[in-house]
Amino acid sequence: MARLALLSVSDKTNLIYLAQSLIQEFNFEIISSGGTAQTLLNTGLPVTKVADYTGSPEILGGRVKTLHPRIHGGILARRDIPQDLTDLENNQIRPIDLVVVNLYPFAQTIANPDVTITEAIEQIDIGGPTLLRAAAKNFAHLTVLCDPSQYEEYLQQLRQHGEASLEFRQQCALKGFRHTSSYDEAIATYLAGGLPQQYTLSGTQVQSLRYGENPHQSAAWYQTTTSTGWAAATKLQGKELSYNNLVDLEAARSLIAEFTDTPAAAIIKHTNPCGVACGSSLQQAYEKAFHADSVSAFGGIVALNRPIDAVTATELTKTFIECVFAPGCETEAKEILAAKSKVRVLILPDNSGVKETVKAMAGGFLVQTADDEVADTSKWQVVTDRKPTDKELEELLFAWKVCKHVKSNAIVVSCDRTTLGVGAGQMNRVGSVKIALEQAGEKAQGAFLASDGFFPFDDSVKTAADAGIKAIVQPGGSLRDADSIKAANELGLVMVFTGVRHFLH
């Protein structure tokens, strides 16, 4: 008797190829449901609809299709248990050798901010996870596939051995269980409306990395099932990405996402920006960012918010950089960058961020919602006698956006929408102020200063004024805010409170 396969997929990538191969090369018979059946029938392939096979029609608008003993009996039967085989025969059930299922696109649906809860609920798959779990449980006797990337390997197994090996079937079962686990977690998180009581991490390995932060640490890169992120990036050239590259790339992605209205460039070293700038062109933005701290920029990660053009590519080749990423790259720019073949060039069209951040700790991990607060200057409070002009407010906003992505205690000095000095990760705010101002040097005259946290004393305000700073933006909220405001007024500075803190640990 011909082998029997059940195909029921939402993602129909390579479906026709798989079905044709099963039928023509291996004499499979196929049962299928809903849109999958119709897709196969439209190509002229012989398919038995699940409703015809079970003798039960699809009901409730398609909510119930495969939930039937003839389906699940065929999946769960153990071929080495005589009673199971007798049950199949007595109930006219054929054993199923292959289950190919992927699930309704729930995560993609809820990614739309305008989706209603009714629309989301209709994308909660019931029959699919049930099929996956049943087939994965019985991997000793059949194969379950939940990802189109598995199809070719399964067919190669058949071509080489006549059937899939037990090892391969177990790997596929593991993938199936992980798929349903992450799917359920996405649903639970959505319905909870926030951070759930139980938080599950699930991912598929994108690649094994040479090592972690240091050569003695092993590492691997995983992609979650609810978002593609960096795994969807196209690498045009360069060496394999390292653990540290990926950490810095994510920091760069998060920072450059702050700037959408004008060409912008950011250069990252050890997750901190050493140079960030906006310009009238991408080339100008990059040159300004590079010259903000050309020493630290050596060996950095470059993030651009516009497709790389030829003139910008030429500038990129003039120094050593580890990676550059942008939403696109022009043909001529690719040819220019090819001269630096070891430089990793990545294209990431979708720069959407994460919903939560996760950090490991002994015995568990911490989860927080992402710091995606959008700066709104209309909600800022000017607390000094001198008020900022529109131009000064624009400069303060630039410094504030950059400061958000600097390790605390964070201080950013900028002018002409270009960083001049960055004080990052110091144990006290005074130290960060001194580092940023020292780096800015004479350019601090008439410049702007942003602080990610409030000033608990007026000493930093006085230090900034002595260096020539003319305007400060900070969260406010210290018990001694009055002291800082008084010092700013006496020294003729503008001071603005945002009411929002952006610590980054």
Side-chain angles (χ1 to χ4, degrees):
M1 181 180 292
R3 286 180 283 188
L4 188 61
L6 170 63
L7 276 59
S8 180
V9 295
S10 176
D11 179 358
K12 296 177 176 57
T13 302
N14 291 331
L15 172 66
I16 303 303
Y17 166 68
L18 175 65
Q20 287 176 335
S21 300
L22 292 173
I23 294 169
Q24 297 170 6
E25 292 187 54
F26 307 106
N27 195 34
F28 270 82
E29 292 181 9
I30 293 178
I31 56 176
S32 191
S33 63
T36 305
Q38 194 58 53
T39 298
L40 296 174
L41 289 169
N42 288 343
T43 65
L45 291 171
V47 178
T48 300
K49 291 185 177 181
V50 166
D52 295 332
Y53 178 74
T54 62
S56 298
E58 294 185 10
I59 61 173
L60 306 182
R63 280 190 168 195
V64 179
K65 297 189 284 283
T66 58
L67 300 171
H68 193 279
R70 290 202 75 193
I71 297 297
H72 286 278
I75 292 173
L76 286 165
R78 294 158 292 186
R79 318 296 167 82
D80 56 352
I81 304 294
Q83 185 58 54
D84 284 11
L85 298 178
T86 299
D87 287 341
L88 292 184
E89 184 177 357
N90 291 341
N91 291 279
Q92 297 181 317
I93 298 173
R94 291 176 60 183
I96 295 174
D97 294 281
L98 173 66
V99 173
V100 182
V101 176
N102 53 59
L103 309 178
Y104 294 168
F106 181 81
Q108 295 91 322
T109 299
I110 62 173
N112 178 0
D114 298 323
V115 70
T116 66
I117 189 168
T118 300
E119 292 169 334
I121 286 173
E122 286 308 310
Q123 292 301 320
I124 297 177
D125 205 328
I126 302 299
T130 306
L131 290 170
L132 280 178
R133 289 179 61 82
K137 174 177 179 175
N138 206 28
F139 72 86
H141 302 284
L142 76 159
T143 305
V144 57
L145 307 177
C146 62
D147 189 325
S149 66
Q150 298 172 296
Y151 297 171
E152 187 59 39
E153 186 174 359
Y154 173 71
L155 293 173
Q156 288 300 327
Q157 289 267 324
L158 296 184
R159 288 165 185 149
Q160 293 173 13
H161 311 295
E163 63 180 16
S165 68
L166 179 61
E167 180 183 10
F168 176 77
R169 297 199 303 270
Q170 183 171 338
Q171 290 174 352
C172 292
L174 176 61
K175 189 177 181 74
F177 280 124
R178 284 176 170 163
H179 188 38
T180 58
S181 174
S182 60
Y183 191 80
D184 287 341
E185 180 60 29
I187 295 168
T189 300
Y190 173 76
L191 293 178
L195 297 179
Q197 287 295 108
Q198 180 175 335
Y199 194 96
T200 303
L201 288 174
S202 178
T204 301
Q205 190 176 119
V206 176
Q207 70 180 70
S208 176
L209 303 173
R210 288 182 60 198
Y211 52 80
E213 287 179 307
N214 299 289
H216 61 275
Q217 295 172 269
S218 59
W221 171 16
Y222 293 85
Q223 172 192 352
T224 62
T225 55
T226 56
S227 176
T228 51
W230 281 105
T234 300
K235 185 157 76 77
L236 300 181
Q237 66 172 60
K239 299 182 292 184
E240 288 297 318
L241 292 166
S242 70
Y243 180 96
N244 290 335
N245 288 156
L246 288 162
V247 172
D248 283 338
L249 280 167
E250 176 57 18
R253 182 209 59 77
S254 180
L255 194 160
I256 204 67
E258 297 281 352
F259 303 98
T260 58
D261 296 337
T262 187
I267 305 174
I268 302 293
K269 285 290 287 289
H270 307 298
T271 72
N272 280 307
C274 55
V276 184
C278 296
S280 58
S281 67
L282 191 65
Q283 176 194 9
Q284 185 190 55
Y286 169 71
E287 289 180 335
K288 289 168 66 178
F290 176 79
H291 291 295
D293 185 354
S294 59
V295 174
S296 298
F298 185 84
I301 304 288
V302 178
L304 306 170
N305 72 344
R306 297 288 190 274
I308 307 171
D309 52 34
V311 289
T312 305
T314 299
E315 293 301 318
L316 289 167
T317 61
K318 291 181 178 179
T319 190
F320 168 62
I321 57 175
E322 285 278 356
C323 309
V324 57
F325 85 89
C329 186
E330 296 177 2
T331 301
E332 187 178 354
K334 293 178 184 178
E335 296 171 355
I336 294 169
L337 290 169
K340 296 277 189 175
S341 60
K342 293 183 179 180
V343 175
R344 304 160 179 90
V345 179
L346 295 100
I347 303 304
L348 185 69
D350 180 11
N351 196 13
S352 55
V354 296
K355 293 183 179 180
E356 298 97 20
T357 61
V358 182
K359 289 189 177 183
M361 61 182 293
F365 51 88
L366 302 172
V367 181
Q368 66 174 350
T369 57
D371 185 8
D372 53 7
E373 178 88 15
V374 177
D376 183 355
T377 57
S378 68
K379 297 179 180 179
W380 289 4
Q381 180 186 6
V382 180
V383 294
T384 48
D385 296 335
R386 194 166 85 75
K387 310 303 178 186
T389 65
D390 290 344
K391 179 66 174 177
E392 289 172 335
L393 197 60
E394 182 183 89
E395 293 290 346
L396 288 170
L397 177 60
F398 171 86
W400 180 246
K401 285 182 175 181
V402 176
C403 195
K404 174 182 174 181
H405 299 273
V406 177
K407 293 287 186 180
S408 297
N409 288 304
I411 298 292
V412 170
V413 175
S414 72
C415 192
D416 189 26
R417 292 189 298 172
T418 304
T419 55
L420 303 176
V422 177
Q426 298 305 302
M427 286 63 72
N428 63 77
R429 196 159 299 279
V430 175
S432 290
V433 170
K434 289 180 178 178
I435 290 172
L437 290 172
E438 181 180 348
Q439 188 180 18
E442 294 181 358
K443 293 180 180 178
Q445 287 289 334
F448 303 79
L449 183 147
S451 172
D452 67 343
F454 59 64
F455 292 122
F457 304 101
D458 63 6
D459 49 1
S460 290
V461 177
K462 294 177 179 178
T463 300
D466 288 344
I469 296 296
K470 68 176 181 179
I472 294 174
V473 58
Q474 57 137 318
S478 169
L479 293 175
R480 302 186 63 169
D481 275 345
D483 291 349
S484 293
I485 295 170
K486 179 183 178 183
N489 279 327
E490 290 175 350
L491 297 165
L493 273 65
V494 169
M495 183 174 287
V496 177
F497 286 180
T498 65
V500 177
R501 189 185 75 184
H502 284 304
F503 281 176
L504 180 62
H505 284 86

